[in-house]
Amino acid sequence: MIATKPDLLQFFKKTRSHSESICEPLQIEDYVVQPIVDVSPPKWHLGHTTWFFEEFILKPHKKEYKLFSEDFAFVFNSYYESVGKRVVRTDRGNLSRPTVKEVYSYRNYVTEQLSELLNEEVSEEIEGLVEIGIHHEKQHQELLLTDIKYILGNNPLTPAYRDDFQESTIESQKPQWIEIPEGIYTIGHRGDGFAYDNEFGRHKVFLQKFAIANRFVTNGNYLEFIEAGGYENVMLWHAEGWEWVQTHDISKPLYWHKTETGWQHYTMQGLNSLDPDAPLAHISYYEAFAYAQWKGLRLPTEFEWEVAQEHFSWGQRWEWTESAYLPYPGYTKVDGALGEYNGKFMVSQKTLRGGSVATSEKHTRPTYRNFFHPQLRWQFTGLRLAKTL
Amino acid sequence: MIATKPDLLQFFKKTRSHSESICEPLQIEDYVVQPIVDVSPPKWHLGHTTWFFEEFILKPHKKEYKLFSEDFAFVFNSYYESVGKRVVRTDRGNLSRPTVKEVYSYRNYVTEQLSELLNEEVSEEIEGLVEIGIHHEKQHQELLLTDIKYILGNNPLTPAYRDDFQESTIESQKPQWIEIPEGIYTIGHRGDGFAYDNEFGRHKVFLQKFAIANRFVTNGNYLEFIEAGGYENVMLWHAEGWEWVQTHDISKPLYWHKTETGWQHYTMQGLNSLDPDAPLAHISYYEAFAYAQWKGLRLPTEFEWEVAQEHFSWGQRWEWTESAYLPYPGYTKVDGALGEYNGKFMVSQKTLRGGSVATSEKHTRPTYRNFFHPQLRWQFTGLRLAKTL
Amino acid sequence: MIATKPDLLQFFKKTRSHSESICEPLQIEDYVVQPIVDVSPPKWHLGHTTWFFEEFILKPHKKEYKLFSEDFAFVFNSYYESVGKRVVRTDRGNLSRPTVKEVYSYRNYVTEQLSELLNEEVSEEIEGLVEIGIHHEKQHQELLLTDIKYILGNNPLTPAYRDDFQESTIESQKPQWIEIPEGIYTIGHRGDGFAYDNEFGRHKVFLQKFAIANRFVTNGNYLEFIEAGGYENVMLWHAEGWEWVQTHDISKPLYWHKTETGWQHYTMQGLNSLDPDAPLAHISYYEAFAYAQWKGLRLPTEFEWEVAQEHFSWGQRWEWTESAYLPYPGYTKVDGALGEYNGKFMVSQKTLRGGSVATSEKHTRPTYRNFFHPQLRWQFTGLRLAKTL
Amino acid sequence: MIATKPDLLQFFKKTRSHSESICEPLQIEDYVVQPIVDVSPPKWHLGHTTWFFEEFILKPHKKEYKLFSEDFAFVFNSYYESVGKRVVRTDRGNLSRPTVKEVYSYRNYVTEQLSELLNEEVSEEIEGLVEIGIHHEKQHQELLLTDIKYILGNNPLTPAYRDDFQESTIESQKPQWIEIPEGIYTIGHRGDGFAYDNEFGRHKVFLQKFAIANRFVTNGNYLEFIEAGGYENVMLWHAEGWEWVQTHDISKPLYWHKTETGWQHYTMQGLNSLDPDAPLAHISYYEAFAYAQWKGLRLPTEFEWEVAQEHFSWGQRWEWTESAYLPYPGYTKVDGALGEYNGKFMVSQKTLRGGSVATSEKHTRPTYRNFFHPQLRWQFTGLRLAKTL
């Protein structure tokens, strides 16, 4: 789990500058808004990942460390608490200050201070914390990109993020079922290299014989479902999925628009004609499930996915699985504030496997467990079909 | 799955009259109210179980069957649809008509008509439908009792349901851990006798070595958790559990009251001193989880429970498990309206195993899968601890 | 303001028995439900008006008076407060107990106790309180009737209240404008006979020359508005009225139903064809205003109405006025709990003048000021047009 | 109502540049956020006032006028409508684009185009429209300032707007009652100079004898109310005011903070000690009413205020009156879209009289009628006491 120090410093600096390069195409105004509660303002991501290094490493471990600003701790903590006389509780998207420029100064200060620290002799504990901080920032890099997509894609002017940003690659291989025999399989992280606590607890599971598709479901596949009245057929939906469809008047994936000249969708490259061959994205679990029902098939479990993944190409779309996000046998939380990291979300969420175009380098792997509530769609979420044999 | 006919008729009649005997202690007013959305008025349960027989058996299968009332179909269907000129959408607890007397007339009419039908030669299909109708009514009998408890227990006058209604039995056996070795186990219904579609799909699972308690957690156990500040310690709770505690200001199980003279709780026998030795009831999954966290233990999965259940006594309390309510391998829905029965609820709910004092005779078994949303407490829900070895 | 004692006793008894006769056509179930927050269960009205006499007169003024029940004070107070160990906060329509029979016992007990008191020598203060209690009950009698109408009319079975209950009389006089010259007029109660504190503060106002219709707007008049697209024309509505129309999908008065065979409306006599000549009822202020806008006219102010009322027939419909419900000059609240009676509602409500078929005898007069929020429709509310000359 | 042309052009240009100078102290981020629904982002105000000139004057009246941008019409209209393929409904504070720079380009373009138009011969109709557009922008200038105050004052960093921005002047005159005799008075705009349609309809009212304070209520006066438990005494409040206090946990005016070192308040100059002698600001009507109740006094009506205003100094605080915002006799809406301007708000709002430090030059007068819902506090709202004699 521990890198050698020079590598760690380089890994740290590279990660920090990658966050900044993600934001390069933005206008200052784009850093500020929060159009839905799930989407944080880019400047908040930049500040929060910085605060994490300051709060958990510099403040307790660097001698005579001077906080960049007392106030920033309140602003960039995930939970504001009313501390001191000038703090007013507010939502992230309501904060015009600190300015983007001040946030970058904060970043530079903390990056320098931490680099200084890493140039000295540091304990394994600190190295471990830095590693967690780096992976924490990598996790936010994915959110940074998906949140930027929402901020721009939700704007009536639908500006592009970058003209050369390709969201997906068309799969050209022939559709096939990959068959996996029944048996006992081992699930979970092997223990070499970094992994989150929710991946450990390597354990055996028994799987029935099943088959899994070698390709993603595409936009074109999903269009057939829409045109066949999938959104109007109650029998295909979970009760709460149906209620969600009715309440929010859902009739298509997020970012799809039906226009007089045909279907369009917003991607990082702006508003364009829908490509029927591209992998489907931005659907909820409810939609993934309804689509599979309509096909007479189902989603794979996360165990099936993990066992079969070496037989297909993955990583350009998070894939909804049928599994609920639950602890592995023997799972226990780390002590202290960092113990809150994963365990407290292990109810009412679905596991996703894979990765996406927004996933940072080295930030997914075959055992990586992503998780979201079943109605969420702003991530690059798609599906792959499976069936019991 | 099919009983011989004379038994079926008797089974049918006994079930019908049992629903009515549950309501015997009620005043007419008690049949009408719906204090929370989860609790249906008793007269609605009486009417809805009747409508089920009328709609799915008498109407399609009895020659020249005459509906008791056109209007009742709208009132007692689970989903009102705006059909015809006089239908007004409304909530169940807002309906003073049909009166209780009229509902009993409706019951008598349908019971007689169906008895007539069963005295003739009927197909296996009809026999199967009658069996489903009977089990449907048995399921509602449990709700009838728990809903009555809520209606009376939520009333400031806290009237008793019946002075001789004992909710639970104190377990006197010595607390012990039952150890189960790791291995492959078979889960699901064997196929003899009635079972719901969610229990079929008998399949193998691999379980790690674990231990499970031979007794329920008691009121006294849980009091220690309360007194140790369990409801104030964020680290014990899921994020959404904590939000639920804060939003609804939860600090004790449902029906518990802290008074000047000590803890009391409302049971079917009225308001009485809390018995510390009785099995705990009326807690949410969030509370069950937080309690287990506090003990450094966990809830069993539904598979662990099913495998271990022959080694302990169960059936007086539904037991929250750590498992999400999901389909077994190969699960498929029945065609038609009855296909909606179970599958559409297989998301965002937790499985419970066991049974309760309110469960109708023969209406639970080792493979029976009950399910509720994690915040619900009006059922007789408790917990049993487990640990990975 | 003070009646002689024998009259007061008789007035009291007559008022009490009138409340009970209003409820005579009800089934027990009808006494219990609260389909919307504005509608109270009939048994609550019966209990609350009784509690008023007990709390403000018998308890403080009758020697050795014994409360009928400690619990009823909590149940029938307008505001429940958590007092003592057995009180559970709940909504009125969720209370099955006390039963209707118990509420009638409570009524009989209090009626007898108060009659006893009035047979003795009592102070003017007590006589004044009894008078207020009587008028309080009369006010609730109107609500009792309109709430019963809602309970029955909102039921998909639309049962009649009484076959012989005539809601309105058709006006046969020729439509005419009554012209009132500009000048100084005196507004408010003269001081003889009972009146509420909001009617006192008799004062002068200056009115411009105006004309007021000698007839109510009828159902037929309003149908023209509907057919002319009144509900779709944003220019006719207040901004908040338009939002109300959109949010609640309003396209007709309350109790109107458009059926294949034409317009029907629910009255106390059941569901019947709409009578185009009958005075319009059950509209909100927003609708009254929009209708007047469409006609190029306006509603009268409450002062214009009071000045002109001797020239037209009124009393079968509450009439929305353009006036906000505000205090008259010099208005001050009575000290103590009874001081809450009217003043605290003097913001964001509109004044209505007139009376209705549901208004109790002697419970309106030319100076009587009724008031409701602009969106409410379950009272018998209609309108009369006016114009500035 | 019509200025000579050179004056109009100058008036137009001065007004346009004043809006821009208001925004001079802002950072780009401050232009974007909408912390509560009542507060619009500054860039929206700048764009919307520009769109008004483009939509109602340039587009219909300037030959070959070319829209600056098709999209801006959707963004800066008060009501977005789904027009065309690229429009997505969203809230004002969720829009990062168009950027501030683009909005200023839009402003410059429209200012130039309109100046060109005014340099030609234009009709009286156009002159009238320009005048309305100027006053529309002046109205938004006040909102611009109060919205900026909210954006900065709601930020945990509480940045100052401008160090030299003085919000109010202390009144040093001796407190006195100004007595006004009863009689007939004339209310409304005389007709010379610009006024809104809601001020016309000059008419007579009869006023009772009354007295009105020659000074505003001060912060120090209001502190006494707080310290006397005013916020905890239900008898001082309207029913809906009390509910507002409870629901939102109100215990002080907006922008007041109770700190360990005493009371502070945020002003345009930042966070400072509360000045007890300064006029009170940022209270709701409910609070103004409760304060007056506590003093045994009342608020003036808007008519009393208008009649008495020549006897006291006013204009640095909007003053809540007891009057509801209603049409004057004979009020009719202008035809067309501009007819929506005032009339549609004439329900459920209170009239305020006076002006504030944020009010643009020449944008108030003795007959000016401002109006807000009773709970709103982000304007500079205070009060002056009155009493009936």
Side-chain angles (χ1 to χ4, degrees), chain A residues 155-183:
Chain A
N155 191 295
L157 280 54
T158 54
Y161 168 66
R162 260 177 34 207
D163 291 342
D164 62 344
F165 191 101
Q166 192 78 29
E167 283 193 0
S168 63
T169 313
I170 290 174
E171 294 185 301
S172 53
Q173 69 274 36
K174 218 185 111 205
Q176 270 179 324
W177 286 110
I178 298 155
E179 297 199 5
I180 306 288
E182 81 162 25

Side-chain angles (χ1 to χ4, degrees), chain A residues 115-374:
Chain A
S115 299
E116 255 181 39
L117 183 74
L118 289 180
N119 277 323
E120 297 162 26
E121 188 76 27
V122 294
S123 65
E124 279 196 16
E125 183 206 348
I126 291 178
E127 287 187 344
L129 288 171
V130 172
E131 207 181 9
I132 288 174
I134 290 169
H135 285 282
H136 173 253
E137 182 146 351
K138 279 175 169 293
Q139 230 169 2
H140 277 276
Q141 284 167 0
E142 175 141 17
L143 293 171
L144 199 45
L145 266 163
T146 54
D147 293 0
I148 289 169
K149 180 170 182 182
Y150 196 93
I151 287 165
L152 301 178
N154 184 52
N155 191 295
L157 280 54
T158 54
Y161 168 66
R162 260 177 34 207
D163 291 342
D164 62 344
F165 191 101
Q166 192 78 29
E167 283 193 0
S168 63
T169 313
I170 290 174
E171 294 185 301
S172 53
Q173 69 274 36
K174 218 185 111 205
Q176 270 179 324
W177 286 110
I178 298 155
E179 297 199 5
I180 306 288
E182 81 162 25
I184 296 178
Y185 295 90
T186 307
I187 294 296
H189 194 70
R190 213 177 286 270
D192 45 325
F194 180 86
Y196 282 108
D197 59 1
N198 61 6
E199 299 168 62
F200 289 109
R202 194 162 156 81
H203 66 289
K204 293 179 195 151
V205 300
F206 186 93
L207 298 183
Q208 329 300 312
K209 193 178 178 191
F210 71 99
I212 191 165
N214 69 329
R215 294 178 40 150
F216 289 108
V217 168
T218 64
N219 289 332
N221 296 150
Y222 199 76
L223 255 182
E224 290 172 31
F225 168 76
I226 294 179
E227 282 161 6
Y231 283 100
E232 290 90 48
N233 181 358
V234 62
M235 296 304 286
L236 301 174
W237 298 81
H238 286 108
E240 71 176 48
W242 185 247
E243 199 188 325
W244 172 80
V245 163
Q246 302 300 309
T247 305
H248 301 282
D249 204 14
I250 305 287
S251 62
K252 49 189 167 50
L254 186 62
Y255 299 125
W256 285 33
H257 300 274
K258 196 173 187 176
T259 71
E260 285 170 20
T261 58
W263 285 97
Q264 296 200 308
H265 67 158
Y266 176 83
T267 72
M268 290 300 221
Q269 296 172 301
L271 200 65
N272 290 301
S273 294
L274 188 72
D275 182 345
D277 296 325
L280 172 67
H282 298 299
I283 54 162
S284 67
Y285 163 75
Y286 301 132
E287 289 164 299
F289 175 86
Y291 176 79
Q293 283 284 108
W294 178 69
K295 297 294 285 185
L297 299 165
R298 62 172 176 83
L299 306 182
T301 67
E302 62 169 322
F303 302 137
E304 290 171 340
W305 191 96
E306 187 169 327
V307 166
Q309 55 79 27
E310 57 189 320
H311 304 295
F312 54 77
S313 156
W314 55 268
Q316 58 167 317
R317 283 297 181 265
W318 289 107
E319 306 178 30
W320 287 109
T321 73
E322 186 51 39
S323 301
Y325 178 52
L326 293 173
Y328 283 174
Y331 173 79
T332 45
K333 297 199 294 189
V334 183
D335 281 342
L338 287 173
E340 285 192 59
Y341 214 81
N342 276 307
K344 70 178 177 181
F345 298 114
M346 289 177 173
V347 66
S348 307
Q349 308 212 35
K350 290 303 233 182
T351 306
L352 299 101
R353 293 301 191 99
S356 88
V357 65
T359 307
S360 282
E361 200 191 347
K362 293 187 202 166
H363 204 251
T364 189
R365 52 202 157 260
T367 60
Y368 190 92
R369 308 175 75 199
N370 203 348
F371 51 91
F372 283 103
H373 282 101

Side-chain angles (χ1 to χ4, degrees), chain B residues 27-30 32-35 75 85-86 88 90 93-97 99-100 151 154-156 159 259 271, chain C residues 27-30 32-35 85-86 88 90 93-97 99-100 151 154-157 159 259 271:
Chain B
Q27 300 293 328
I28 288 180
E29 293 86 343
D30 301 327
V32 180
V33 299
Q34 180 179 27
V75 173
K85 68 184 183 343
R86 282 186 295 161
V88 179
T90 183
N94 297 335
L95 291 183
S96 60
R97 311 291 179 92
T99 63
V100 173
I151 287 165
N154 185 52
N155 191 293
T259 71
L271 200 64
Chain C
Q27 299 294 330
I28 288 181
E29 292 86 343
D30 301 327
V32 180
V33 298
Q34 181 178 28
K85 68 182 182 344
R86 282 186 296 160
V88 179
T90 184
N94 298 334
L95 291 183
S96 60
R97 312 289 180 94
T99 63
V100 172
I151 287 165
N154 184 52
N155 192 294
L157 280 54
T259 71
L271 200 63

Side-chain angles (χ1 to χ4, degrees), chain A residues 27-30 32-35 71-72 75 85-86 88 90 93-100 151-152 154-159 257 259 264 271, chain D residues 27-30 32-35 71-72 75 85-86 88 90 93-100 151-152 154-159 257 259 264 271:
Chain A
Q27 299 293 331
I28 287 181
E29 292 86 343
D30 300 327
V32 180
V33 298
Q34 181 179 29
D71 292 328
F72 284 21
V75 173
K85 67 183 182 343
R86 282 186 296 162
V88 179
T90 184
N94 298 334
L95 291 183
S96 59
R97 311 289 179 96
T99 62
V100 172
I151 287 165
L152 301 178
N154 184 52
N155 191 295
L157 280 54
T158 54
H257 300 274
T259 71
Q264 296 200 308
L271 200 65
Chain D
Q27 300 293 329
I28 287 181
E29 293 86 342
D30 301 328
V32 180
V33 298
Q34 180 178 30
D71 292 328
F72 285 22
V75 173
K85 68 183 183 346
R86 283 186 296 163
V88 179
T90 184
N94 298 334
L95 291 183
S96 60
R97 311 289 179 96
T99 62
V100 172
I151 287 165
L152 301 178
N154 185 52
N155 191 294
L157 279 54
T158 53
H257 300 274
T259 70
Q264 296 200 308
L271 200 65

Side-chain angles (χ1 to χ4, degrees), chain C residues 91-109:
Chain C
D91 296 325
R92 290 173 192 170
N94 298 334
L95 291 183
S96 60
R97 312 289 180 94
T99 63
V100 172
K101 203 175 152 190
E102 288 166 331
V103 173
Y104 275 113
S105 300
Y106 179 38
R107 283 188 71 82
N108 293 340
Y109 176 79

Side-chain angles (χ1 to χ4, degrees), chain B residues 181-200:
Chain B
E182 81 163 24
I184 296 179
Y185 294 91
T186 307
I187 295 296
H189 194 69
R190 212 177 287 269
D192 46 325
F194 180 86
Y196 282 108
D197 58 2
N198 61 7
E199 300 168 61
F200 289 110

